[in-house]
Amino acid sequence: MSDRDKSDKLWGGRFSEATDEFVERFTASVQFDKRLYQYDIEGSIAHARMLNKVGVLSDDEVEQIESGLESIRKDIAAGNFDWSIKLEDVHMNIEAALTARIGEIGKKLHTGRSRNDQVATDIRLYVRDAIDSLCTLIDKLQSALIDLAEREADTILPGFTHLQTAQPVSFGHHMMAWNEMLTRDYDRLLDCRKRVNLSPLGAAALAGTTFPIDRNYSAELLGFDAPSNNSLDSVSDRDFAIELAAAASLIMTHLSRFSEELVVWASVQFDFIDLPDRFCTGSSIMPQKKNPDVPELIRGKTGRVTGHLMSLLTLMKSQPLAYNKDNQEDKEPLFDLLDTVEDCLQAYIGMVPAIRCKRENMLEATRRGYATATDLADYLVKKGLPFRDAHEVVGKAVSLAIELKQDLAELDLEQLQQFSELIADDVFEVLTLEGSLAARDHFGATAPTQVRSAIETARSKLAAR
Ligand code: ARG
C-alpha cells in the first residue's frame, strides 16, 4: 500500500464509521416504509407461489416460505418485530427475518425479482386499498350531506356571488352542490384505480428476468387486473401516486371550500348555523369564544396535501429510466396525504349530521339583501319589457328601497309603479322569497321540488355503487 492509500485508509477508517452510520440512516426507509409490511408479505407470497407454479421453487420450499412469512406477519401485527435500520427497508427486514426463521430456503424468495418491482408492487397494493377506503368515506359523507339536504330542502338561504347576496336558494340545494363535488371526487378515484391496479411484479430490477416467470399468475393472485406492459416503466412509474395525490388535493380543495363556508356561517356576523360544541374549541383568554377549529384546521391541512402533490410531481420530473433511489421519497408525502384526507373526511362525516340551521336568521338575511330583484326584472320581461330596460327599472326600485331601508316587497304598489306602469298587483307574488325559490323550477335549479328530485337521483346513484 502506498502512503497515500494508508492515509486514505486511516482517514477513511475514522470517517467511515461516523459517515456510515449517518448514511445508513440517511438512505434507510424502514422508519416509514414498514407500514407497507402487509402488502410486502402479500406480494412475496404471490411471487413465491408463482415461482412454484413455474417449477423454480418446490412445493416444500414454497410452503416453508409462506408459513415463515405468515409468522413474520403475525409478529409485526403484534408489535413483536425488531425493525433494523441496518437492513434499510421493509423488504430487506422481512427477507432477513425469513431467512433467520426458515434457514437457507428463505434466500430463494428473491429469485427472479428485485426490490424495484417489489416496492412498486407494494405501493400499488397500498394505494389500491387507500382508494377503496377513501371511496367508502366519501360515500358516507355524501349520504350525510344528502340527508341534511333533504331536511333543509325548504330552508331559504341567501345565495351569494362575490359574497354579496344574489338570489334566494334552498339550503338543501347548497348541500347538493357540495354533493356534486364529492361525486366527481369519487369518480376520479375510481378512474385512478384502473391505472393503479396493474402488476409491476416480474419487471425485476428493470429488464425482466431470465427465469420462466408467469406474470399473469402473480398479477391474478394479487387481484391486479393485468401485469404492467413495460418493465422499465413498471419499476419507475409513479404516475398513479401523482394522480391519487391530485385527486386527494381536489377532495381537500372541496373540503376546504365547505370549511370556509361553515366558518363564515358560524360567525356572529352571519349566524346561519350552529356547529356542535364537540367540533369547536374555546379561547384561553376570551370566555365568549366558540371557535370552529375543525373546519379551520381542515382548510389549513389542504395546503399540506396540495404541497405533497407538488413534492411528488417535482420528485419525478427529472428521473431518467428506470428505478432511481429518488423514488424512495414518494412514500412519506403519499402516506401523509392519505392519512390527512382520511382524517378530514372522517371529521366531516361526524360534523355534517350535527349542523343546525338557524332558519330564521338565514331568511332574515335573504330579506335584507334584495334577493328578489332578479325576480322583479323577470316579471317585467314577461310583461314585454326588454331585459336590459327591466334591469334599469329594478335598479331604481332597489335604490329607493335602500333609501327607505325597506325590502322590495315592502314598497307599495304606487311606489313601484313610478318606475314602470307594467307593474301591477300580481307583482307581490314574485317578490316573496318562497315564490322566488319555487319559480326556479327546472332541472338543476333551486326550487325545492327540483332539490327533492336531485336528492332522489343522488340517493339512487349511491345505492348503485
Ligand atoms: N427502499 C426502496 C424504495 O423505497 C426500495 C427499492 C430499493 N431499490 C434499490 N435498487 N435500491 O424505493
Side-chain angles (χ1 to χ4, degrees), residues 29 33 88-89 91 115-116 119 323 325 327-328 331:
S29 54
D33 69 13
E88 199 179 317
D89 54 27
H91 323 294
R115 277 186 297 151
N116 298 350
V119 70
Y323 178 87
K325 185 75 169 177
N327 283 337
Q328 184 165 290
K331 288 168 202 63

